[in-house]
Amino acid sequence: MGECAILKIVLMVMLAYCAGSITGAYYIAKWSVGKDIRQLGSGNAGARNAGRELGKKAFVFTLLIDMAKVMMVLSFVTLFFPQNKIMLLVSAFFLLIGHIWPVHLGFKGGKGVVVFLTSTLFLVPPAIGVLGICVGISYWIVRNFTIAGLFSMATIPVTAWILGEYYFAIGLFSLLVIVVISHIKDA
């Protein structure tokens, strides 16, 4: 591997982490009410807390920002590293790490659900359909959206595996573990 290839990888990892660190809920709260979202409600810098504390518009804008950063970075990776599933997964990993542990916010960001789901949408779109069905069924049974959602997210790597996307299945399972850990650490 040449110096140019290594430089491209390092730059893409830095881009992924920095883009991941753009935590939508934090900026929406700062711009709209001048407060740190991490000091409101559940203390999470995520879309659900933004929606509960600041309203539906804040929820939607947070989703859009967090989805856009993932789609942008993974699109760049596809452009600069065509057909490279490993680089897509590495970038998704650093997007997630940046979102959960952004350096400029004292390593206290969101929990990574939107980043994980958007990465899945980019990498294995059919897995989102399976997830949606499972969320509906799980919610009907347990009547708790967080539990239903976390349980249903486990279908994503399984769906990827069944579809023959073995690299993505393993990578998405790893990302899921990080998301679950981010939920446990605050429980």
Side-chain angles (χ1 to χ4, degrees):
M1 186 180 311
E3 285 182 25
C4 184
I6 292 170
L7 181 62
K8 276 176 40 177
I9 292 168
V10 168
L11 289 174
M12 196 56 64
V13 164
M14 289 173 50
L15 172 67
Y17 179 83
C18 290
S21 295
I22 300 168
T23 310
Y26 176 81
Y27 294 105
I28 293 297
K30 278 290 186 189
W31 292 331
S32 64
V33 295
K35 295 183 179 178
D36 184 340
I37 190 69
R38 298 168 305 160
Q39 303 301 315
L40 303 173
S42 70
N44 180 34
R48 282 183 69 195
N49 194 36
R52 281 191 299 259
E53 296 301 314
L54 305 171
K56 290 178 186 175
K57 283 184 184 178
F59 176 81
V60 170
F61 284 127
T62 298
L63 279 179
L64 291 174
I65 290 168
D66 290 346
M67 290 176 72
K69 70 185 179 189
V70 173
M71 295 302 244
M72 178 191 74
V73 169
L74 295 182
S75 294
F76 281 140
V77 171
T78 302
L79 181 66
F80 292 108
F81 298 93
Q83 307 298 317
N84 191 328
K85 292 180 179 184
I86 300 296
M87 200 61 213
L88 281 167
L89 289 169
V90 167
S91 296
F93 172 81
F94 280 98
L95 278 158
L96 186 64
I97 295 301
H99 183 82
I100 297 172
W101 297 289
V103 68
H104 67 288
L105 297 180
F107 300 103
K108 189 174 184 234
K111 292 186 179 179
V113 173
V114 173
V115 173
F116 173 69
L117 293 177
T118 307
S119 295
T120 300
L121 179 63
F122 191 93
L123 302 171
V124 189
I128 294 296
V130 173
L131 167 88
I133 292 167
C134 289
V135 166
I137 293 168
S138 298
Y139 182 77
W140 181 72
I141 294 169
V142 299
R143 299 286 186 217
N144 181 302
F145 186 73
T146 300
I147 292 171
L150 287 172
F151 172 77
S152 298
M153 285 192 299
T155 64
I156 288 173
V158 173
T159 303
W161 189 271
I162 290 169
L163 293 173
E165 294 289 355
Y166 306 116
Y167 282 114
F168 290 155
I170 294 166
L172 289 169
F173 176 76
S174 301
L175 296 179
L176 177 60
V177 168
I178 295 167
V179 170
V180 170
I181 289 169
S182 78
H183 278 77
I184 292 171
K185 73 175 175 68
D186 291 337

